[in-house]
Amino acid sequence: RTSLQKSLASLALLFLSLNTRNKFKEHNKISMIGNYLSTMLVCVFAYLYPLFLCFKALEMHKKSPEKLRGWCIYWLVLATFTVFERITDAFLFFLPLYHEAKVAFVVYLWHPKSQGALYIYDKFVAPTLSKHEGLIDRKIEETQAKVGDVIFSYSKMAYAYVQKMTLQLLQSLPTAQAAMHAQQQGGAQAASEPVNPIKKEPVATEAK
């Protein structure tokens, strides 16, 4: 009876472990589908639909560009959101309804009733950028100067390398041509020489 109980207990544990594993796999599949769906919704509601609305605003207010300030603010706030999204995705992806919250947030940014982009810009983005504008400009200028120096130095190295390889190629051309010419002459001489016919020697017959 004890061995039977142990066997039943082992089978029960095995069944529970398999059931738990299957549920975990199903949960992962559902979570992956939800993530993909949320990503597609973010692309639609954060980029495609606002892009069309921005196009309509541009065509409607060609002579009054000041009315396009709201859309400029939206794209600026969305760019800021995209930068922080890359960081939060690595640490907060496991939270429930995290991806759904991103969809709701991008809709909150451009929706006429909420106009979240204007609020976030006036409350956070504009004061922060205004406070550090001078430092950011200096860093951009320093980076541009460093990148320009690196590109210039690598361009000089590439030019010197191409020039060296071109000179080596030009120097090797006469040698290669002379070798080919000598090979052709040797082949022509071999073709002009007569071929000696093979002489058949008489077969000696034994005297009977």
Side-chain angles (χ1 to χ4, degrees):
R1 184 178 297 179
T2 305
S3 60
L4 181 60
Q5 290 176 352
K6 289 182 179 179
S7 300
L8 291 175
S10 301
L11 289 174
L13 290 174
L14 180 61
F15 175 75
L16 288 174
S17 63
L18 292 175
N19 191 22
T20 304
R21 186 177 300 176
N22 292 332
K23 287 183 178 180
F24 183 72
K25 289 182 179 179
E26 292 177 0
H27 179 268
N28 283 341
K29 291 180 181 178
I30 295 173
S31 179
M32 290 177 63
I33 294 172
N35 293 345
Y36 291 141
L37 181 60
S38 300
T39 302
M40 292 299 297
L41 290 175
V42 168
C43 290
V44 171
F45 289 113
Y47 296 98
L48 294 180
Y49 184 64
L51 184 148
F52 180 68
L53 294 180
C54 186
F55 163 76
K56 292 179 66 175
L58 285 171
E59 294 299 317
M60 188 180 301
H61 304 292
K62 287 183 177 180
K63 297 182 179 180
S64 54
E66 67 276 358
K67 294 184 179 180
L68 301 174
R69 181 175 181 272
W71 282 112
C72 293
I73 290 175
Y74 169 78
W75 291 114
L76 191 150
V77 174
L78 183 65
T80 307
F81 163 74
T82 304
V83 172
F84 284 100
E85 182 190 17
R86 298 295 181 268
I87 301 172
T88 56
D89 283 351
F91 298 101
L92 303 179
F93 65 93
F94 60 90
L95 292 178
L97 301 178
Y98 169 71
H99 296 279
E100 290 77 5
K102 291 197 298 183
V103 177
F105 179 75
V106 296
V107 174
Y108 160 78
L109 290 180
W110 57 260
H111 200 276
K113 292 184 178 180
S114 58
Q115 294 185 349
L118 295 176
Y119 174 77
I120 293 175
Y121 177 79
D122 293 333
K123 193 73 175 178
F124 302 103
V125 178
T128 303
L129 292 179
S130 298
K131 182 179 179 180
H132 303 285
E133 184 178 2
L135 177 62
I136 294 173
D137 286 336
R138 287 196 301 271
K139 293 297 182 182
I140 291 175
E141 292 176 358
E142 292 174 0
T143 304
Q144 289 177 345
K146 290 180 181 178
V147 171
D149 293 339
V150 171
I151 293 175
F152 180 74
S153 61
Y154 275 100
S155 299
K156 288 181 63 177
M157 292 172 60
Y159 176 77
Y161 177 77
V162 172
Q163 187 178 18
K164 179 181 177 181
M165 295 300 295
T166 305
L167 290 174
Q168 290 180 357
L169 180 63
L170 292 176
Q171 290 174 359
S172 63
L173 284 177
T175 306
Q177 290 178 354
M180 291 177 62
H181 185 65
Q183 186 177 3
Q184 291 176 355
Q185 285 183 348
Q189 290 178 359
S192 62
E193 291 180 357
V195 180
N196 294 327
I198 300 174
K199 295 180 180 181
K200 296 182 179 181
E201 295 180 357
V203 180
T205 56
E206 296 180 356
K208 295 183 179 179

